[in-house]
Amino acid sequence: MVPVHRTDRPHPQARRHARPFRPRRAGAPRGPERRRHRPGVRLHRPAASPPRRTGVRGLHSGRPGRAGGRPHSPFDGRKKPVKTPETRAADTADRSLIVRTAFGSMAAQTLRAAVRLRVVELIGDTPRRADAIAADAGAEPRPVTRLLRALAALGVLREHTPGTFSVTPAGTLLDPSRPGSLASFVRVFTDPVSTRAWEHLDDSVRTGDVAFDAVFGTDFFGHLARHPELSEAFNTAMGQATGATAAALPAAYDFGRFTSVTDVGGGDGTLLAGVLTAYPDLTGVVFDTAEGLAGAPETLERHGLTGRCSPHAGDFFRSVPAGSDLYLIKSVLHDWPDEKAATILRHCREALPPGGRILIVEPVLPDTVDPEAPVTGGGITYLSDLNMLVNVSGRERTRADFEDVCRRAGLTVVSVTPLAGAAPFSLVEAAAD
């Protein structure tokens, strides 16, 4: 049985000071009208006001912002800004910058497709029709034409007449058979192994952790060791990227005051071959892992250096070979965090004879970003810094950073000199304390 509460008494749970409940008399009004009601007095309700019309042209009162008037505008009482050709051009340039940057990954994949389809090789030295290129590539003519036109828009190809294309000087760098080719470089840095971790850049920024390790379940160099074909492509790409530096370095530094040079992490020997070719009295050692040295014998033989230079396999986290009075380290330290970079330098310091030097070849970031500075490289150096964060736990460094890392290894930075002709690199010379 459900208990029934009498409505003429206060509810037992009501607050003590609450007004006692009194039932409404039959016919009494409800709500606010109840307070105005008096027995025997007829209630008069005001007539409903007509709906107000706002924002209708011709009916406003001339007072902005008032009901029934013109809708409020942020420009009321002020002149609207006038777009000049200069401001319009600035707006367009700003929008273009953002859009081009957002499309950057698409441009990279366009280059990747060109390399994989051997577009530059199929065109050769004379203009060719798109349908002929498509036939040789085993692809459909219309999509090939669209790809070729995108490459022409990027400056890799040139379209002479509708559907006829030739290779530009920049495009020749995608031909793996030509000197100075960057085809392997494009393959490696547009491969999912290099790009997938970038999808988690925000996670790396939040946590400082290496996204590559979480995505692939191992570190970058461990992944290369498990995939020999990828390791070979990576080492080839590093050799290709070193070509410009190898050409500029001999004239930028006095190697003649030394007797022997060990290139630590020297890969296929491209950099050291450039130095030894320019200094015939110098001998050298290319030091790297066995996988990293795979292309070194061929490089040394091609330059006629087999009698003056030898490959030496090892692990620079354990030791480096003694016997040289100059240790050359290019694009190695930026792969590693400070403590590991200091370990590499410390082992070089231990092998260094009195009067010897260590020459680091890497970008040296300014204290403040200068978009026009050669070291910025159109933003590439700072993107490389993020690439180190995402993929390998390293970073690009300022002069103060290099001085700190060298100090940990018992070294002093003697000089820092931009490498002319090979931006964004600089030469960081260090000596034992």
Side-chain angles (χ1 to χ4, degrees):
M1 180 176 179
V2 179
V4 178
H5 175 64
R6 293 180 58 179
T7 58
D8 59 344
R9 294 182 181 179
H11 193 280
Q13 296 181 0
R15 297 174 61 180
R16 293 183 179 180
H17 62 273
R19 181 178 298 175
F21 173 78
R22 294 186 178 86
R24 182 174 62 87
R25 294 189 301 274
R30 298 176 180 271
E33 295 179 0
R34 182 178 180 183
R35 293 192 296 270
R36 298 194 299 270
H37 178 68
R38 296 290 185 274
V41 179
R42 184 178 179 181
L43 293 174
H44 296 277
R45 297 186 180 183
S49 301
R52 293 179 177 178
R53 302 177 66 182
T54 61
V56 180
R57 183 174 296 179
L59 298 179
H60 63 80
S61 64
R63 300 178 64 185
R66 296 291 299 272
R70 182 182 300 150
H72 177 73
S73 167
F75 296 108
D76 285 335
R78 294 180 291 144
K79 290 184 178 180
K80 294 184 178 181
V82 178
K83 289 282 187 180
T84 65
E86 291 77 11
T87 57
R88 289 194 187 97
D91 289 347
T92 301
D94 292 341
R95 292 177 63 85
S96 178
L97 170 65
I98 299 302
V99 172
R100 281 200 319 272
T101 304
F103 271 65
S105 61
M106 301 180 197
Q109 292 302 319
T110 301
L111 292 183
R112 176 174 173 80
V115 171
R116 298 182 71 182
L117 292 171
R118 301 174 54 247
V119 166
V120 171
E121 299 165 77
L122 294 177
I123 294 176
D125 296 327
T126 58
R128 290 194 72 191
R129 295 282 305 168
D131 51 0
I133 299 169
D136 290 346
E140 292 294 325
R142 286 189 177 181
V144 166
T145 301
R146 295 165 69 178
L147 173 64
L148 298 179
R149 284 181 167 162
L151 291 168
L154 293 173
V156 175
L157 303 180
R158 179 186 174 192
E159 188 173 19
H160 298 270
T161 59
T164 301
F165 298 86
S166 65
V167 181
T168 66
T172 61
L173 297 174
L174 299 183
D175 185 348
S177 65
R178 301 201 182 200
S181 171
L182 291 174
S184 290
F185 183 86
V186 170
R187 277 183 177 271
V188 168
F189 281 91
T190 59
D191 190 272
V193 171
S194 297
T195 61
R196 276 186 61 192
W198 271 87
E199 299 173 9
H200 305 275
L201 171 61
D202 54 334
D203 295 327
S204 288
V205 170
R206 273 193 292 264
T207 65
D209 296 334
V210 182
F212 186 97
D213 298 3
V215 172
F216 290 93
T218 184
D219 65 272
F220 181 80
F221 293 104
H223 187 81
L224 291 183
R226 297 177 185 177
H227 298 82
E229 71 290 345
L230 181 61
S231 178
E232 180 181 357
F234 177 80
N235 291 325
T236 302
M238 294 301 98
Q240 291 179 350
T242 302
T245 309
L249 182 59
Y253 187 77
D254 181 14
F255 290 90
R257 55 197 173 112
F258 303 101
T259 60
S260 178
V261 181
T262 293
D263 188 358
V264 179
D268 68 355
T270 297
L271 184 64
L272 189 54
V275 173
L276 296 182
T277 300
Y279 290 85
D281 294 331
L282 204 58
T283 61
V285 174
V286 183
F287 179 66
D288 210 320
T289 63
E291 297 81 8
L293 292 171
E298 190 275 332
T299 300
L300 299 177
E301 183 177 358
R302 186 172 69 251
H303 288 83
L305 297 172
T306 53
R308 294 168 49 205
C309 185
S310 60
H312 188 117
D315 180 359
F316 48 46
F317 288 120
R318 295 179 179 273
S319 65
V320 300
S324 294
D325 49 356
L326 177 65
Y327 286 82
L328 181 62
I329 311 174
K330 177 192 174 291
S331 299
V332 171
L333 301 182
H334 73 169
D335 288 336
W336 307 101
D338 289 349
E339 59 274 13
K340 289 192 173 182
T343 298
I344 298 170
L345 289 173
R346 188 177 304 112
H347 291 150
C348 294
R349 163 70 179 84
E350 292 168 354
L352 201 65
R357 290 288 188 271
I358 294 173
L359 187 64
I360 303 166
V361 184
E362 289 198 2
V364 178
L365 300 178
D367 294 331
T368 303
V369 176
D370 179 2
E372 303 301 324
V375 68
T376 305
I380 291 176
T381 306
Y382 292 91
L383 294 177
S384 174
D385 183 47
L386 290 179
N387 189 55
M388 301 303 151
L389 168 66
V390 166
N391 281 320
V392 295
S393 79
R395 65 188 182 107
E396 306 294 354
R397 294 177 170 89
T398 64
R399 174 169 183 153
D401 294 329
F402 278 110
E403 290 174 344
D404 178 63
V405 171
C406 286
R407 190 181 305 113
R408 299 187 192 191
L411 298 166
T412 299
V413 172
V414 176
S415 64
V416 176
T417 308
L419 180 54
F425 291 100
S426 288
L427 305 181
V428 180
E429 186 181 31
D433 289 342

